[in-house]
């Protein structure tokens, strides 16, 4: 299920042992946290950026969209480049690009300059984050340690967004929006320095094992066009608009050409054999669906707190802290024990069900809702569900992956998360806005119309995550109990 000791022969080693490996893990997670924080930190600062640089409401979206297009479009390619050129090389290069682009963002004095810098940030973010999970599973080949390490990573990857809400509010209100980017300079430099010191340079397979330029162009173009379609024409013009349909058709055509290319190439960029694993395929489908539900709800839940309950940016960040704390406690301290005791599939299903319950409960939050009564229980359930299921999901996504494909699998799970989040946000936001507009036109009070729109999006998000539960229960069903769940004697021996 988890990476074996064979991985160590072809992947980065750690300079030293024991404590050094955990320091290396924290270094990798620091790089991931910087990337994850960036998205929500920028969202909080958007009003200040708009006032300072004179963005219109429509053009302001490109501060986020430029990043998402580059990030989502390059994750899969970046993961494979890690396998070919060395994962530490790609990780450090990504940090350098992201850090330099962050400084450029901080000094941006025009709309064009900021959008261009944000696109470059997305390139650096993809290079950095795509290889992290692959590096972690090879640094920790022993099942118990690997489960614990993945728990730490999953907490950073999933809960970092809510930390960003708080950090963005503090930096924007206390100093200025420029500092949400400048703060990345010392963090990026320190993380790169520690990575070079703690993780030995790995050679990778070499470009001869996967130099597939046409495949790289096709998949990168397909993902970039796909993400662009979701965040721009679909969100602004609607899903049935001619431009949305045309770009959607182009995306599917590019993906079809990519599959044909990879099935015939002598050295494919993405060997299609990797999808023969039912566990890996199921984990990526679950990742896409759960990301669609969770990311959209954090965004729309923030809008509910802001527009209906009247919270400011800092109060919203504080409101989401319980989710972060609960998720952190479970991911870091207990996820490894749950995976070792029950196997990864059962915690995954249990966690997803808790998320569904939380989302259903959120549909009952009223106009004059109380944080303690109507919001806090939801956030605690989301924290419990995320803390239980996401570490298990990360482990399953790397199950049965060959050492030479670890970077590819890591980039793949990141790609499905990113595309799923973008698609979920676009769908849920569109449904919410349409419902709100319809009720407002019919004469409903503004707050009632807004709340009803949010309720619809919460209900649809619950249905999306419920679909992930169905996939986890069916597609990811083990061939035999022994194949995926530790025997009682093995658990006792490991304990």
């Amino acid at each position: 299920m988890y990476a074996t000791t064979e991985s160590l022969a072809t992947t980065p080693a750690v300079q030293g042992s024991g404590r050094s490996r955990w320091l290396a893990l924290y270094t990798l997670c620091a790089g991931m946290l910087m990337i994850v924080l960036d998205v929500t930190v920028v969202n909080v600062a958007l009003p200040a950026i708009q006032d300072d640089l004179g963005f219109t409401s429509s053009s302001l979206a490109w501060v986020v969209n430029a990043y998402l297009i580059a990030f989502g479009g390059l994750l899969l390619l970046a993961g494979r480049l890690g396998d070919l050129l060395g994962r530490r090389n790609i990780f450090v290069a990504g940090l350098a690009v992201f850090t330099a682009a962050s400084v450029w963002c901080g000094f941006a004095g025009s709309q064009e300059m900021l959008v261009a810098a944000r696109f470059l940030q997305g390139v650096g973010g993809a290079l950095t984050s795509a290889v992290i999970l692959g590096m972690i599973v090879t640094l920790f080949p022993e099942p118990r340690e690997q489960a614990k390490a993945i728990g730490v990573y999953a907490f950073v990857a999933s809960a970092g967004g809510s930390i960003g809400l708080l950090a963005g509010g503090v930096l924007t209100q206390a100093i200025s929006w420029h500092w949400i980017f400048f703060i990345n300079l010392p963090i990026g430099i320190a993380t790169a320095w520690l990575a070079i010191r703690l993780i030995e340079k790995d050679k990778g397979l070499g470009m001869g094992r996967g130099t597939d330029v046409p495949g790289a162009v096709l998949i990168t173009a397909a993902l970039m066009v796909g993400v662009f379609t979701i965040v721009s024409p679909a969100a602004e013009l609607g899903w049935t608009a001619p431009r949305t349909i045309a770009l959607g058709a182009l995306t599917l055509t590019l993906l079809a050409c990519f599959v044909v290319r990879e099935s015939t190439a002598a050295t494919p960029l993405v060997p299609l054999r990797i999808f023969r694993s039912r566990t890996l395929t199921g984990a990526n489908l679950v990742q896409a669906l759960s990301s669609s539900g969770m990311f959209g709800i954090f965004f729309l839940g923030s809008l509910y707190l802001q527009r209906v309950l009247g919270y400011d940016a800092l109060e919203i960040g504080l409101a989401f802290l319980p989710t972060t704390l609960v998720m952190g406690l479970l991911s870091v301290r207990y996820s490894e024990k749950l995976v070792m005791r029950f196997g990864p599939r059962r915690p995954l299903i249990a966690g997803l069900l808790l998320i569904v319950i939380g989302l259903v409960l959120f549909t009952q939050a009223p106009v004059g809702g109380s944080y303690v009564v109507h919001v806090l229980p939801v956030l605690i359930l989301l924290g419990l569900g995320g803390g239980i299921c996401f570490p298990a999901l990360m482990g399953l996504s790397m199950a049965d992956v060959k050492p030479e494909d670890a970077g590819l699998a890591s980039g793949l799970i990141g790609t499905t998360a990113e595309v799923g989040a973008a698609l979920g946000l676009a769908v849920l936001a569109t449904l919410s806005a349409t419902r709100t507009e319809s009720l407002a036109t019919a004469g409903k009070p503004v707050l009632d119309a807004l709340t009803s729109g949010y309720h619809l999006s919460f209900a649809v998000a619950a249905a999306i995550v419920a679909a992930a539960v169905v996939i986890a229960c069916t597609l990811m069903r083990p061939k035999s109990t022994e194949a995926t769940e530790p025997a009682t004697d093995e658990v006792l021996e490991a304990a």
Side-chain angles (χ1 to χ4, degrees):
M1 169 167 315
Y2 295 101
T4 65
T5 52
E6 294 176 1
S7 305
L8 298 177
T10 56
T11 50
V14 179
Q15 297 179 10
S17 59
R19 184 166 176 264
S20 296
R21 286 188 301 133
W22 290 99
L23 290 175
L25 170 67
Y26 302 145
T27 300
L28 293 172
C29 287
M32 187 66 189
L33 182 61
M34 185 171 66
I35 305 302
V36 173
L37 286 177
D38 185 77
V39 177
T40 46
V41 164
V42 171
N43 282 337
V44 171
L46 285 177
I49 293 173
Q50 182 178 19
D51 293 340
D52 193 14
L53 298 183
F55 280 96
T56 63
S57 297
S58 58
S59 63
L60 183 65
W62 283 100
V63 177
V64 176
N65 292 348
Y67 180 92
L68 291 178
I69 291 170
F71 187 78
L74 290 170
L75 273 171
L76 191 59
L77 175 60
R80 191 54 173 166
L81 287 177
D83 293 330
L84 301 176
L85 301 178
R87 290 172 205 138
R88 196 195 75 169
N89 291 338
I90 297 300
F91 178 75
V92 174
L95 285 174
V97 173
F98 185 87
T99 303
S102 295
V103 175
W104 187 11
C105 287
F107 282 115
S110 67
Q111 298 177 20
E112 295 78 11
M113 183 177 177
L114 181 59
V115 171
R118 286 287 289 161
F119 184 89
L120 189 60
Q121 255 196 323
V123 174
L127 291 171
T128 301
S129 60
V131 296
I132 292 178
L133 186 58
M135 296 173 76
I136 289 174
V137 298
T138 55
L139 291 174
F140 296 91
E142 194 275 321
R144 180 177 291 277
E145 285 190 335
Q146 187 178 113
K148 186 175 182 179
I150 288 177
V152 176
Y153 166 81
F155 164 64
V156 171
S158 56
S162 55
I163 298 174
L165 291 174
L166 180 59
V170 171
L171 288 171
T172 302
Q173 292 184 15
I175 312 176
S176 75
W177 66 265
H178 300 274
W179 282 92
I180 67 173
F181 299 112
F182 287 144
I183 196 67
N184 290 331
L185 178 60
I187 298 174
I189 292 174
T191 303
W193 180 78
L194 288 171
I196 293 172
R197 285 185 58 87
L198 292 170
I199 304 174
E200 291 181 359
K201 184 177 180 180
D202 54 314
K203 296 180 179 179
L205 299 172
M207 291 300 289
R209 293 287 299 274
T211 309
D212 179 17
V213 176
V217 172
L218 285 169
I219 189 59
T220 303
L223 290 171
M224 282 191 173
V225 173
V227 175
F228 171 77
T229 304
I230 294 168
V231 301
S232 186
E236 297 169 5
L237 305 176
W239 292 93
T240 58
R243 189 180 181 191
T244 304
I245 294 174
L247 288 173
L250 177 59
T251 300
L252 294 176
T253 301
L254 290 169
L255 285 174
C257 292
F258 170 73
V259 172
V260 172
R261 167 65 189 177
E262 297 310 280
S263 64
T264 58
T267 56
L269 178 76
V270 180
L272 297 182
R273 57 177 165 71
I274 195 172
F275 296 105
R276 294 173 187 168
S277 169
R278 188 174 62 180
T279 300
L280 181 142
T281 302
N284 278 276
L285 289 173
V286 170
Q287 174 75 306
L289 291 170
S290 59
S291 296
S292 295
M294 286 288 283
F295 188 83
I297 287 310
F298 276 117
F299 178 79
L300 293 167
S302 298
L303 291 180
Y304 169 77
L305 293 176
Q306 179 188 29
R307 295 180 180 178
V308 178
L309 301 187
Y311 285 31
D312 61 26
L314 184 57
E315 289 172 333
I316 292 172
L318 291 171
F320 277 95
L321 268 185
T323 300
T324 304
L325 295 175
V326 172
M327 192 178 293
L329 179 64
L330 284 171
S331 298
V332 176
R333 183 152 188 166
Y334 296 107
S335 63
E336 162 254 332
K337 296 178 180 178
L338 290 171
V339 168
M340 294 304 298
R341 174 64 180 86
F342 299 106
R345 182 172 168 271
R346 291 176 183 174
L348 171 63
I349 295 172
L352 290 173
L353 286 173
L354 286 173
I355 292 173
V356 172
I357 295 171
L359 294 175
V360 171
L361 191 60
F362 216 176
T363 64
Q364 305 305 307
V367 171
S370 163
Y371 174 76
V372 174
V373 175
H374 300 106
V375 180
L376 182 59
V378 172
L379 297 181
I380 290 176
L381 283 171
L382 295 181
L384 287 170
I388 292 172
C389 78
F390 288 136
L393 180 60
M394 293 300 101
L396 284 167
S397 70
M398 302 300 293
D400 304 324
V401 174
K402 295 182 178 180
E404 62 268 24
D405 295 330
L408 172 60
S410 178
L412 181 62
I413 196 71
T415 300
T416 54
E418 184 67 22
V419 173
L423 182 60
L425 178 57
V427 170
L428 295 177
T430 300
L431 290 173
S432 177
T434 302
R435 177 68 171 269
T436 297
E437 183 179 354
S438 175
L439 293 175
T441 302
K444 278 274 190 180
V446 174
L447 292 182
D448 288 340
L450 280 171
T451 303
S452 182
Y454 296 143
H455 284 175
L456 175 61
S457 65
F458 298 157
V460 173
I464 292 173
V465 180
V469 175
V470 174
I471 290 175
C473 292
T474 54
L475 185 59
M476 300 178 70
R477 184 183 297 278
K479 295 179 181 178
S480 65
T481 303
E482 293 78 16
T484 58
E485 296 179 0
T488 303
D489 292 342
E490 292 175 343
V491 171
L492 292 176
E493 182 179 353

